[in-house]
Amino acid sequence: MWKPEHRCAAERHGLRYPSDLTEAEWAMIAPRIPPAKRGGRPRNVDVREVLNAIFYVLWTGCQWKALPKDLPPKSTAHYYFMLWQWDGTLERIHHALYVEAREQAGREASPTAAIIDSQSAKAAQKGGPALDPQGFDAGKKVTGRKRHILVDTLGLLLSVVVHPAHVQDRDGARDLLRSARRSFPFIKRIFADAGYQGAKMAEVVADTGCWTIEIVKRNELHKFVVLPKRWIVERTFAWISRNRRLARDFERYAETVVAFIRLAMIRIMLRRLTKPAP
């Protein structure tokens, strides 16, 4: 529940925009930004302002060309966004902050349990040909892409894969589990809903790692009850959807959606790690 103490913790008074990085947040993320390449003209771009511009696009959902004039131009912000997505900088920052957030919560750095689920996002109209395919989710009646995520018991992101909406959960889970296994080898149990049951999903789980899957089924007599473990991943989807850039599928490339989801989780973890103690 959104309580007054939660509102106080979320206040961003004193900043130019609520999406800007505070001094404490910038101090955590600055050492993890790769330096400029050797040789050539020295870097004259304020990297902190570039990050503020990227977070502004994520938070407001505006187009890159609609960035305010007091932020870096769209060409600079978009160039660094694509560069950090391509060279793995966003993934490295996310993993480093994830370890710190786990330790701050008194947990081991590598989790032993995870929850898997997917969310179908409605596609926005895009000009030109479709560069990454979309699909139609017959269950949700949504045309767009499906965001497949794996989270720990704190609701923090472990892995994410984006694919067309017509791909079934059991089929899309293979790439997700395979990528998560390399970074988090100590996971023993995965919780999922009824969409992941069956022999096909059991084969995927057995092929990707030494873990087991536990299906948390819905009680048909009480449809509006909080289901054990499954509510955690639903809450993560709610956290991510607060960023208007992720309210719908605006991107041409699926990898761009993955990058914005990682940025949304980086923003959440930064606020957790820099929140003053009560």
Side-chain angles (χ1 to χ4, degrees):
M1 183 180 296
W2 194 249
K3 298 181 179 179
E5 54 267 28
H6 298 154
R7 295 184 184 276
C8 292
E11 289 293 342
R12 311 283 288 180
H13 290 311
L15 298 176
R16 175 186 46 182
Y17 302 111
S19 58
D20 284 355
L21 293 168
T22 64
E23 292 294 337
E25 291 169 353
W26 171 242
M28 293 199 67
I29 205 171
R32 299 182 172 97
I33 299 296
K37 294 182 179 179
R38 298 181 60 183
R41 188 173 62 181
R43 176 186 286 174
N44 57 2
V45 175
D46 187 346
V47 180
R48 180 176 179 178
E49 284 296 284
V50 170
L51 277 170
N52 286 336
I54 294 173
F55 281 129
Y56 184 90
V57 172
L58 171 67
W59 177 63
T60 63
C62 72
Q63 299 95 329
W64 290 99
K65 62 182 179 182
L67 282 170
K69 298 300 183 182
D70 54 352
L71 289 172
K74 67 170 185 177
S75 57
T76 302
H78 188 262
Y79 167 77
Y80 277 95
F81 171 74
M82 299 299 293
L83 174 65
W84 292 336
Q85 171 195 350
W86 173 77
D87 67 4
T89 298
L90 294 181
E91 189 172 357
R92 289 192 296 270
I93 292 174
H94 174 270
H95 186 75
L97 294 178
Y98 173 80
V99 172
E100 293 189 25
R102 291 274 303 182
E103 293 175 348
Q104 184 190 65
R107 306 292 186 89
E108 294 291 337
S110 186
T112 58
I115 309 101
I116 187 173
D117 204 358
S118 66
Q119 177 192 54
S120 294
K122 187 177 181 181
Q125 293 184 355
K126 309 178 183 70
L131 301 178
D132 271 351
Q134 300 173 355
F136 179 71
D137 186 346
K140 302 292 180 61
K141 302 296 187 291
V142 169
T143 299
R145 294 195 185 100
K146 186 175 288 187
R147 303 161 182 174
H148 226 133
I149 67 172
L150 189 73
V151 302
D152 64 4
T153 52
L154 296 177
L156 302 179
L157 184 70
L158 300 177
S159 183
V160 55
V161 171
V162 177
H163 48 71
H166 67 267
V167 176
Q168 295 294 323
D169 290 348
R170 293 184 294 270
D171 299 326
R174 182 180 294 275
D175 292 338
L176 180 69
L177 296 181
R178 185 175 295 165
S179 63
R181 194 61 181 178
R182 292 193 293 266
S183 301
F184 305 99
F186 299 108
I187 297 177
K188 298 179 181 178
R189 182 179 298 179
I190 301 173
F191 297 93
D193 60 21
Y196 296 90
Q197 64 183 352
K200 188 173 184 179
M201 184 63 188
E203 180 181 352
V204 169
V205 172
D207 289 345
T208 53
C210 299
W211 42 26
T212 59
I213 186 166
E214 181 176 328
I215 304 299
V216 182
K217 294 185 178 181
R218 177 183 299 171
N219 188 341
E220 295 298 333
L221 299 178
H222 305 283
K223 294 186 178 180
F224 299 100
V225 297
V226 177
L227 299 175
K229 303 299 181 184
R230 271 181 55 183
W231 67 272
I232 297 175
V233 68
E234 299 295 346
R235 183 185 60 181
T236 302
F237 279 128
W239 289 344
I240 292 172
S241 299
R242 288 179 183 173
N243 299 278
R244 292 191 176 183
R245 188 75 181 196
L246 295 171
R248 294 183 68 177
D249 184 14
F250 295 103
E251 314 306 329
R252 292 180 178 272
Y253 298 100
E255 285 300 318
T256 308
V257 184
V258 172
F260 273 122
I261 291 175
R262 290 194 185 280
L263 279 168
M265 190 54 60
I266 287 172
R267 193 162 176 253
I268 291 170
M269 291 188 293
L270 280 174
R271 294 193 176 190
R272 282 194 182 191
L273 291 169
T274 58
K275 184 172 65 175

